[in-house]
Amino acid sequence: MSDRINATQIKTLMLRSYRRFSNGEISETTAFRENTMLANILKAIEASETEQRLQAIEETLRSTADED
């Protein structure tokens, strides 16, 4: 199994935290901290994916320019 986590998994963890809070299993403070951490991880995933896409676009543009 991969150590990489994706946005879908983050969403699942956020919903699990919300349910645990709603059921009184964790405090509001704990739920807030968990979701803040997960939101930061999600931002990092999104930034990384955007960077990879941008690099692919730049590479395509460079190879197209070389053909001209």
Side-chain angles (χ1 to χ4, degrees), residues 32-42:
F32 178 79
R33 287 179 180 165
E34 286 181 3
N35 280 291
T36 298
M37 178 180 58
L38 291 167
N40 287 332
I41 293 168
L42 182 58

Side-chain angles (χ1 to χ4, degrees), residues 44-58:
I45 290 169
E46 291 170 344
S48 177
E49 290 173 352
T50 300
E51 182 178 7
Q52 290 172 353
R53 289 183 186 128
L54 180 58
Q55 288 173 349
I57 291 168
E58 289 173 340

Side-chain angles (χ1 to χ4, degrees), residues 5-24:
I5 191 164
N6 62 41
T8 301
Q9 292 167 317
I10 294 291
K11 180 180 83 170
T12 300
L13 292 170
M14 289 175 132
L15 289 170
R16 185 179 300 158
S17 179
Y18 171 75
R19 279 193 299 270
R20 288 170 49 226
F21 169 69
S22 294
N23 292 334

Side-chain angles (χ1 to χ4, degrees), residues 2 19 27:
S2 174
R19 279 193 299 270
S27 69

